Amino acid sequence: MTAAQFKSNRFDLAVDTISRADLEEVIAWLRKYPRLTMGEESKRFEQAWSKWLGVKYSVMCNSGASANLLMYAALESAGRAGKRKVVVPATGWVTDIAPAIQFGWQPIMCESDPVTFGLNMDSLAKILKRDHPENVVLVHVLGVPVNMTRLLALQKQYGFNIIEDCCASHGSRHQGRLVGTFGLISVFSFYYGHHMSTVEGGMLCTNDEHIYHHLLMLRSHGWLKDLPAADARRIMKKYRVDPFHAPFTFTIPGFNLRPTEISARTGSIQLRKLDATIRRRVANHLIYQKRLNGAVDFARGIPGDVISSISFCAVAKSAAQRRKIIETLDKKRIDTRIFTAGNLGRHPFWADRFGVFSAPVADKLYRGGFFLPNNQSLQGTDIEYICGVVRKALE
Ligand SMILES: Cc1ncc(COP(=O)(O)O)c(C=O)c1O
């Protein structure tokens, strides 16, 4: 029995990144009776996150899904959504698409790529030529970077906003550059089992000041209070608002998606460990790729990219073969599940509105995809063991 298995008596897909020592640190801080609603701790964490990622502005919110909601809302509110056509990925997460439906945009689903499992650039090129969408939402699927070089070339040719969902890819790199630094807006999740956790939490990042200001307002009711003072004064002047009314003047229709100071403080503590976690996840992922080569399919990624995966995505040849592997994994107490959502275009939320989206790669992932554990508590020997179990199931 290996170290990781001994702890929980099984190989879990996700384990908490918040350790007992981290909690003790939060408790010691709480003993000082600090402010708990959003304030200076949140600002400190946002600034630290911007520095870590290498962007100008970060806005924390209460989940990755809320960040997905805010990214659409900010594009629209800032007047950057165009005619509200948006390309969405067949492989990703429902909340990358749900706001398009909720806000009445026109989502166009794009096939997945056999190398990255993210947006397929050939399919995207066809959509861009045919539909001229102003927005492209992408997901770096489970940490595997999308082919950003090709996407940037297409952006040059057609002109569109790139919105990057990095909710499960903290620390992944495309040709040396961190994911989350390519898009007009990028988003991250800090949910349990992700690369770091704030219990619940999300972050939006941008280098665009106008978008940043809209994110600040949209996160908090659409009021002026959270804007930098000079920008709030400018808006007050425009609408002839006096200082007494200003804090509770609502300039745009907003939400309340704020984090708490407890989450932000937990985030600052977690950020100190993030690079070590990423190194472990990258190393584990490489072992999976090496040991499972020829046994199952997986996203190979673009050569030279760094894959900081949240789980390893493997793909069986058929649903029957997947069943066989899953039964063996279960016997050996190795956690697994379907591969994210496989093809989102086969889920009722999409199919009921737009009909089933059928495409070869996305369908293959739906039929044969499954997760294998990768987290910071798993060592190389654990991954070797799991790969051995998968290979044995295929004999
Ligand atoms: C790609 C992607 N986007 C968004 C989310 C939503 O994040 P959260 O669970 O923090 O709401 C997830 C969750 O795993 C995700 O994988």
Side-chain angles (χ1 to χ4, degrees), residues 256-320:
N256 179 356
L257 302 169
R258 288 184 303 241
T260 67
E261 293 287 81
I262 303 174
S263 292
R265 181 81 182 196
T266 309
S268 293
I269 294 167
Q270 293 285 291
L271 189 51
R272 300 201 297 252
K273 307 193 293 191
L274 181 60
D275 287 333
T277 299
I278 289 167
R279 279 196 294 277
R280 182 75 261 151
R281 285 177 181 273
V282 170
N284 286 347
H285 192 93
L286 285 171
I287 298 171
Y288 270 126
Q289 287 195 316
K290 206 162 146 195
R291 294 280 175 244
L292 291 181
N293 195 21
V296 287
D297 195 11
F298 50 82
R300 277 154 212 285
I302 308 292
D305 283 5
V306 173
I307 303 173
S308 167
S309 62
I310 188 168
S311 290
F312 185 81
C313 43
V315 189
K317 284 190 181 70
S318 62

Side-chain angles (χ1 to χ4, degrees), residues 44-102:
R44 253 195 295 281
F45 178 46
E46 286 170 347
Q47 280 161 10
W49 183 262
S50 291
K51 194 165 167 221
W52 179 82
L53 185 64
V55 293
K56 276 194 191 157
Y57 310 110
S58 294
V59 175
M60 192 185 180
C61 61
N62 60 5
S63 75
S66 298
N68 289 144
L69 184 69
L70 279 170
M71 71 195 195
Y72 276 90
L75 285 175
E76 186 156 329
S77 176
R80 303 285 281 276
K83 292 190 178 133
R84 309 198 305 169
K85 278 190 196 172
V86 59
V87 175
V88 294
T91 304
W93 195 248
V94 60
T95 51
D96 283 295
I97 305 172
I101 297 168
Q102 289 153 348

Side-chain angles (χ1 to χ4, degrees), residues 62-66 68 92-96 139-142 165-168 187-191 194 200-202 310 337 340:
N62 60 5
S63 75
S66 298
N68 289 144
W93 195 248
V94 60
T95 51
D96 283 295
V139 176
H140 300 292
V141 178
L142 299 177
D165 186 325
C166 315
C167 279
V187 299
F188 291 83
S189 164
F190 302 129
Y191 182 59
H194 286 235
E200 294 274 5
I310 188 168
R337 54 170 265 201
T340 312

Side-chain angles (χ1 to χ4, degrees), residues 113 115-116 144-149 173-175 300-307:
D113 183 79
V115 175
T116 66
V144 184
V146 161
N147 189 340
M148 296 308 293
T149 305
R173 288 173 186 267
H174 174 68
Q175 307 301 294
R300 277 154 212 285
I302 308 292
D305 283 5
V306 173
I307 303 173

Side-chain angles (χ1 to χ4, degrees), residues 193-260:
H194 286 235
H195 300 60
M196 57 172 266
S197 170
T198 60
V199 186
E200 294 274 5
M203 193 72 92
L204 296 115
C205 308
T206 184
N207 288 317
D208 186 298
E209 194 182 27
H210 190 53
I211 294 276
Y212 171 57
H213 288 171
H214 277 267
L215 288 171
L216 290 176
M217 290 187 284
L218 286 163
R219 177 179 62 176
S220 279
H221 309 287
W223 66 29
L224 286 175
K225 264 209 266 190
D226 297 334
L227 284 183
D231 298 285
R233 273 198 301 276
R234 193 173 32 76
I235 296 175
M236 282 162 64
K237 210 166 155 196
K238 179 177 165 195
Y239 291 104
R240 295 166 199 264
V241 181
D242 64 66
F244 187 64
H245 281 90
F248 293 95
T249 294
F250 304 101
T251 30
I252 53 174
F255 309 92
N256 179 356
L257 302 169
R258 288 184 303 241
T260 67

